[in-house]
Amino acid sequence: GQNVNIDRDCNDAKNKHLICVDNPSANNQKDFSFDDGMPLTCQNRNRAYLRGLHAKKMDPCENGCPMMKFLHITAYLDWINARLAL
């Protein structure tokens, strides 16, 4: 994984379902081909938390992909965890 910075300008009322992050690899890598569902995790006290998932249709990652957009899934974590427990 990489350390990234959340772009607060992306997270306005219009885009509240998105988490945007600056892509530290954008300067030296231009041929990105991310899979749908790539996770965005945050770490707190050595524990990782799932915060978002990349959706290729929503973010085709053009022009070197300087900013990546993830769907904010915090509201769905209880449902996801319940399905994982089945």
Side-chain angles (χ1 to χ4, degrees), residues 16-77:
K16 63 184 176 182
H17 65 283
L18 296 179
I19 301 172
C20 296
V21 298
D22 295 325
N23 182 359
S25 299
N27 292 333
N28 58 12
Q29 184 177 356
K30 300 297 181 195
D31 59 341
F32 291 96
S33 57
F34 297 113
D35 293 331
D36 278 345
M38 180 177 67
L40 173 66
T41 59
C42 296
Q43 194 167 8
N44 186 7
R45 297 185 183 147
N46 295 325
R47 184 171 175 183
Y49 296 91
L50 182 62
R51 293 285 307 276
L53 295 173
H54 187 259
K56 196 174 210 173
K57 183 126 182 145
M58 179 191 71
D59 181 21
C61 204
E62 298 171 338
N63 301 321
C65 197
M67 181 186 304
M68 296 179 63
K69 298 174 186 168
F70 292 82
L71 294 172
H72 195 295
I73 63 160
T74 302
Y76 303 101
L77 286 180

